[in-house]
Amino acid sequence: MKRERRAFTPEDRLSIIQEGEREGITSTCRKYNLAPSLYARWKKKYQSKGMEGLKPAYHRVDPEVRALEEENERLKRIIARQALEIEVKSELLKKTPIQTKTRR
């Protein structure tokens, strides 16, 4: 049985830190089922960076934005391939001599 990862918002983290200051770290950690080391990490980040330190460190990308970026890259590859084909064809056309009609 897998445990689901809990997600605390920055506001939740701040309220837990404040509650730990008021009521004690040990009882607060037990109440929210947190490791004291996690509480200490949150508190250290809050003290050094303020509310910004309590935000998640990873950068979440919107799935729609990701899909658009992938489509953009795909279209760029298509355009690059077509440009290369056009360039090769124009080079080939330059190299082939133009046949002149011979008069009789």
Side-chain angles (χ1 to χ4, degrees):
M1 185 171 142
K2 270 189 166 182
R3 286 181 43 193
E4 287 204 26
R5 185 179 177 112
R6 296 174 296 166
F8 292 98
T9 65
E11 292 79 18
D12 292 339
R13 293 176 183 189
L14 179 60
S15 68
I16 290 171
I17 291 171
Q18 290 171 343
E19 186 175 330
E21 293 294 318
R22 284 190 314 265
E23 299 175 15
I25 297 169
T26 307
S27 61
T28 304
C29 288
R30 283 184 189 151
K31 178 179 176 181
Y32 293 101
N33 196 19
L34 294 176
S37 60
L38 180 62
Y39 175 87
R41 193 174 342 139
W42 287 354
K43 186 174 177 181
K44 183 178 177 183
K45 285 183 179 181
Y46 177 69
Q47 288 174 341
S48 65
K49 298 181 183 176
M51 199 61 177
E52 285 296 314
L54 296 179
K55 291 184 179 178
Y58 57 90
H59 177 67
R60 290 186 73 167
V61 178
D62 186 23
E64 291 177 6
V65 172
R66 179 174 289 146
L68 289 173
E69 287 174 347
E70 289 172 359
E71 183 181 7
N72 193 13
E73 289 300 319
R74 184 180 62 83
L75 293 173
K76 283 181 182 179
R77 284 193 300 272
I78 290 171
I79 290 172
R81 191 173 345 139
Q82 288 177 344
L84 183 63
E85 287 175 6
I86 290 170
E87 186 177 335
V88 168
K89 287 178 183 176
S90 66
E91 288 296 321
L92 287 175
L93 286 174
K94 287 179 187 175
K95 288 182 181 179
T96 58
I98 299 175
Q99 304 252 339
T100 59
K101 293 185 183 180
T102 57
R103 295 187 183 170
R104 287 189 180 194

